[in-house]
Amino acid sequence: MLNVFTLANGRLFQEEIDSLEELTRFKPIWVDLESPTLEERRWVKQHFGLSIPEDAMDDDIEESARFFEEDNGELHIRSDFLIDDDDDPRAIRVAFILNEHNAALKSQGVLFSIHDEDVPVFRLLRMRARRMPGLIENAKDVLLMLFDADAEYCADTLEDIYDELEAVSRQVLAGDVTDNKAGEVLSAIARHEDMSGRIRRNVMDTRRAVSFMMRSRMLSADQFEDARQILRDLDSLDSHTAFLFDKINFLMDATVGFININQNKIIKIFSVASVALLPPTLIASLYGMNFQHMPELSQKWGYPFALGLMVLSAVVPMLYFRKRGWLK
């Protein structure tokens, strides 16, 4: 899919392109390619003179090659954007190309973004740019606002995680955590821990991208200040993720503690039962000895006496354990 975005009256307008002729009719500041076909790549190269690298969205690209400037003035930024999906949370690699200096090409002043699937942050920026005239003035604003929206998306996701952890916390701290409930709690905690780790990694990646833009001296004074504000927002997210990790670890330890308590209760029951059965076992062993002279063997009441003695020797310890509260 090939979408171009033009700027009119301070608002961002989107046009979906189906042919090269349609592409030539617009003067965009942003060209977004979602899973581009070979034909769409050819249109971009033919009209803008821009060759999209084949490895633009590769995940195994070297870290040193994620932010660089070509000899022809093209800036290349490869950054990850978070997708908060309950079933499959993941990060999507997006490649950005921006030509700021080469006036010989029609790509000058146009931001190109290439990715494999729709990114929620892109939708957020498009909605915000339509509702807020003057938010975007050029392609560099688009790139900065994408990173700003990414920071906001991460913040919203962290708030959702915190709300869900609060619900988990109420379950755990209410006590009476059964093994089934503990399993559900541990599963939820593991999901939140994984998502918090993804957010922290995404924040680190966004910080590197914004820092690269600041070092490249491509930003105006106002844009540079906006970039510094984005970095401050990202720093606050780091503190929040650290707090969530501490809360997750606390809930994990508390849940595991309840599991251990439940297991100890079972072991205690077996221990009490084994101790209570020791006296009857001892009595049965005594009357199982093969001595010739045992007075009770020749008496009619011998067998009932032995049974009663065994029952009494089992009941007395149980009553004692119950009085001490060891059976609870």
Side-chain angles (χ1 to χ4, degrees), residues 59-67 93 201 205 208:
D59 291 334
D60 57 350
I61 191 171
E62 294 183 6
E63 293 297 320
S64 59
R66 295 183 64 181
F67 313 98
R93 175 67 52 82
R201 182 185 181 279
D205 183 84
R208 291 180 60 202

Side-chain angles (χ1 to χ4, degrees), residues 3 88 172 187 278 291:
N3 293 302
D88 183 24
V172 174
S187 178
L278 281 178
F291 290 111

